[in-house]
């Protein structure tokens, strides 16, 4: 990376902002600076926290951040990121200063990113009308209902439309920040930061492709959680839908209906996703051949493993391993 002028990044917060959405990007840009300094280079990012009024700002957790800067429509950063909130509509009702600033400043900022439900600020300002955007999957329906002129993409991790960027759920703020570092400073530096944080530089799939383990934790029904745990403990064992229902001590019809209600998928889809998750971990962490991985995960063949990867991740297992395996 050649010498260049410092790049100012302003993280915009307000009462009730999501703390992880603030800390994640701040960490990415700070670690990028640390790596540059360790290589004898000047830090690239000038990182600031800003709010409608400077001072301490409470988050959605016990953490409070000190905003050193007040929002100024005449003093704009190179990159701005506005955090989301768990209760975004309630937070926006008390954040008119942020809405006004976004409306005035966002079109004039080189790169403006709305993190998670921060997308609502851009939508409220009318800046996403006729454009694609994403947000947290749980709030995508509400975004569509409240702002019908916005083309909501529920599956994207992040989306660029001109100088405006929108991102999905909380951890996607880190994905987007890493993408910015890669654009600004190159692939090597972004990869070093990603390795520091023990995360993918580029995550496969979209936000709807959440892991089967996460789906298990989300279930409200103890009966569903029990059968989910049994499935993940017996992934290498072939079993039919009827055998699964017998293990659950309920009819196949009732099990399917309950699973769909609790997880949004059928029991066999959960099995398939669970096997996929295990295969992903083995591809990342081992050098086992595909046939062995398929066998250990309960797939009937390595070809079925390939079909499952293409179905859910739009990538072949060999390509996945090349991109995401742990370095030796």
């Amino acid at each position: 990376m050649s010498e260049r002028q410092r790049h100012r990044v302003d993280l915009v917060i307000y009462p009730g902002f999501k703390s992880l959405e603030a800390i994640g990007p701040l960490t990415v840009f700070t670690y990028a600076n640390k790596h540059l300094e360790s290589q004898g280079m000047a830090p690239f990012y000038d990182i600031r926290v800003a709010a409608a009024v400077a001072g301490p700002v409470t988050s959605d957790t016990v953490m409070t951040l000190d905003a050193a800067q007040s929002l100024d429509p005449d003093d704009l950063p190179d990159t701005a990121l506005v955090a989301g909130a768990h209760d975004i509509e309630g937070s926006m009702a008390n954040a008119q200063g942020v809405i006004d600033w976004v409306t005035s400043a966002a079109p004039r900022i080189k790169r403006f990113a709305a993190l998670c439900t921060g997308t609502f600020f851009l939508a409220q300002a009318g800046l996403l009308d006729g454009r694609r955007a994403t947000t947290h999957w749980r709030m995508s329906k509400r975004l569509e209902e409240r702002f019908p002129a916005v083309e909501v993409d529920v599956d994207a991790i992040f989306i660029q439309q001109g100088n405006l960027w929108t991102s999905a759920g909380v951890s996607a703020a880190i994905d987007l920040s890493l993408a910015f570092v890669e654009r600004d400073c190159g692939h090597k530096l972004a990869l070093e930061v990603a390795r520091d944080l023990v995360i993918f530089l580029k995550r496969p799939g979209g936000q709807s492709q959440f892991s089967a383990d996460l789906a298990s934790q989300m279930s409200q029904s103890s009966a569903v959680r029990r059968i989910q745990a049994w499935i993940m403990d017996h992934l290498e064992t072939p079993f039919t839908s009827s055998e699964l229902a017998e293990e659950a001590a309920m009819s196949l019809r009732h099990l399917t209906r309950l699973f769909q209600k609790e997880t949004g998928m059928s029991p066999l889809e959960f099995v398939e996703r669970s096997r996929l998750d295990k295969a992903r971990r083995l591809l990342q962490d081992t050098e086992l051949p595909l046939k062995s991985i398929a066998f250990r995960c309960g797939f009937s063949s390595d070809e079925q493993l390939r079909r499952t990867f293409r179905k859910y991740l739009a990538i072949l297992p060999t390509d996945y391993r090349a991109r995401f395996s742990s370095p030796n």
Side-chain angles (χ1 to χ4, degrees), residues 272 275-276 294 297-311 317:
E272 195 171 47
R275 286 176 171 153
L276 175 64
C297 297
F299 290 105
S300 60
S301 65
D302 53 336
E303 180 54 36
Q304 186 190 25
L305 173 62
R306 292 188 187 94
R307 287 198 300 269
T308 303
F309 263 76
R310 284 195 295 264
K311 176 181 177 181

Side-chain angles (χ1 to χ4, degrees), residues 82-99:
V82 59
H86 180 73
D87 177 15
I88 184 60
E89 292 179 304
S91 294
M92 286 177 63
N94 298 303
Q96 188 60 48
V98 177
I99 295 173

Side-chain angles (χ1 to χ4, degrees), residues 63-316:
M63 187 185 78
T64 296
L65 277 186
D66 186 24
Q69 305 292 329
S70 297
L71 294 174
D72 183 346
D74 297 320
D75 181 22
L76 301 180
D78 300 291
T79 293
L81 304 95
V82 59
H86 180 73
D87 177 15
I88 184 60
E89 292 179 304
S91 294
M92 286 177 63
N94 298 303
Q96 188 60 48
V98 177
I99 295 173
D100 292 342
W101 181 82
V102 170
T103 304
S104 169
R108 297 182 289 125
I109 293 175
K110 179 181 177 181
R111 190 166 60 194
F112 189 100
L115 308 177
C116 190
T117 54
T119 299
F120 279 69
F121 284 101
L122 285 175
Q124 180 68 38
L127 298 174
L128 294 178
D129 290 357
R131 296 186 175 191
R132 289 176 61 238
T134 191
T135 188
H136 191 288
W137 62 268
R138 195 183 296 277
M139 291 297 291
S140 59
K141 188 70 173 177
R142 182 60 182 142
L143 185 65
E144 287 178 322
E145 292 171 349
R146 182 168 172 182
F147 304 102
V150 179
E151 183 184 341
V152 180
D153 185 340
V154 68
D155 191 47
I157 297 295
F158 53 79
I159 290 173
Q160 179 187 9
Q161 296 281 270
N163 72 315
L164 304 180
W165 297 71
T166 55
S167 70
V170 182
S171 60
I174 297 176
D175 294 289
L176 182 56
S177 300
L178 284 169
F180 288 166
V181 170
E182 185 173 22
R183 283 181 172 229
D184 297 337
C185 305
H187 177 81
K188 184 175 182 292
L189 180 64
L191 183 59
E192 289 172 346
V193 175
R195 286 175 174 170
D196 273 351
L197 303 179
V198 198
I199 56 177
F200 292 138
L201 177 55
K202 290 185 174 67
R203 219 192 314 180
Q207 62 172 321
S208 68
Q209 315 304 335
F210 52 83
S211 74
D213 290 316
L214 177 57
S216 175
Q217 295 167 16
M218 291 168 61
S219 177
Q220 299 292 313
S221 166
S222 59
V224 172
R225 288 199 304 272
R226 185 183 66 80
I227 197 64
Q228 286 173 323
W230 185 89
I231 288 170
M232 287 187 284
D233 285 341
H234 296 81
L235 289 177
E236 74 287 355
T237 306
F239 48 80
T240 65
S241 298
S242 298
E243 290 169 335
L244 192 58
E246 183 178 350
E247 177 64 32
M250 60 183 73
S251 70
L252 178 56
R253 181 178 179 182
H254 180 57
L255 176 63
T256 301
R257 185 167 58 246
L258 186 60
F259 237 88
Q260 190 69 41
K261 176 184 176 183
E262 292 292 325
T263 69
M265 67 183 80
S266 69
L268 287 186
E269 184 180 354
F270 181 83
V271 171
E272 195 171 47
R273 286 174 179 266
S274 298
R275 286 176 171 153
L276 175 64
D277 282 353
K278 183 175 181 179
R280 287 165 62 175
R281 291 193 295 270
L282 290 174
L283 284 166
Q284 290 166 215
D285 300 334
T286 76
E287 297 181 357
L288 289 170
L290 286 189
K291 285 185 181 293
S292 297
I293 290 176
F295 177 77
R296 291 191 181 198
C297 297
F299 290 105
S300 60
S301 65
D302 53 336
E303 180 54 36
Q304 186 190 25
L305 173 62
R306 292 188 187 94
R307 287 198 300 269
T308 303
F309 263 76
R310 284 195 295 264
K311 176 181 177 181
Y312 289 104
L313 302 178
I315 190 173
L316 290 171

